[in-house]
Every structure is written in C-alpha cells, then in structure tokens.
Amino acid sequence: FVRNAVPRFWAGATLLTAEVNGQAAVVVELDGVVQVVFAIAASADGIDQLLWMLNPGKLSRVQALSTSP
C-alpha cells in the first residue's frame, strides 16, 4: 500500500524504515523534509491498523531524529 501511495502523492520521495512509538513505521521524506509517517499495528492475524501521521508539530520531532548523527 505505502509503496503505491508514495509515488502518487510524494513523487521523488525517499522511504525510510523506522520505529515510531514502539511500532514499525515508514517515514516518507521529500527534499530532506518528513512529509508523513505510516505506522503499522500488526498481530499474528495480519495488519490491524495503518496509521498516518501528518501533523507538522509531530513530524518536526521525527525530522529531528532522522537528521541527528
């Protein structure tokens, strides 16, 4: 899903895997700026939730983590 959505909405973006709030996540960066974070909540039965974080205030914290040494 993420692989198909990113080129449509964020052409030229970079996908990075990460752990966000203890969950597996994909960080979408475009020109070095975090655009969205997709967090995945899963169980033995499969994916339970796909959560999108688009709030600029929250994304700025992810941005700081993605650029720290």
Side-chain angles (χ1 to χ4, degrees):
F1 171 80
V2 173
R3 186 175 289 168
N4 289 326
V6 169
R8 181 175 177 172
F9 298 105
W10 299 283
T14 302
L15 299 177
L16 306 167
T17 57
E19 185 175 309
V20 177
N21 295 328
Q23 294 180 305
V26 175
V27 176
V28 179
E29 284 190 352
L30 183 61
D31 298 326
V33 177
V34 176
Q35 301 295 312
V36 63
V37 173
F38 296 98
I40 302 158
S43 68
D45 294 328
I47 295 174
D48 296 320
Q49 293 180 312
L50 180 60
L51 307 166
W52 297 45
M53 183 189 330
L54 296 161
N55 181 315
K58 292 181 179 182
L59 291 176
S60 66
R61 179 70 180 133
V62 176
Q63 178 70 34
L65 293 174
S66 69
T67 58
S68 61

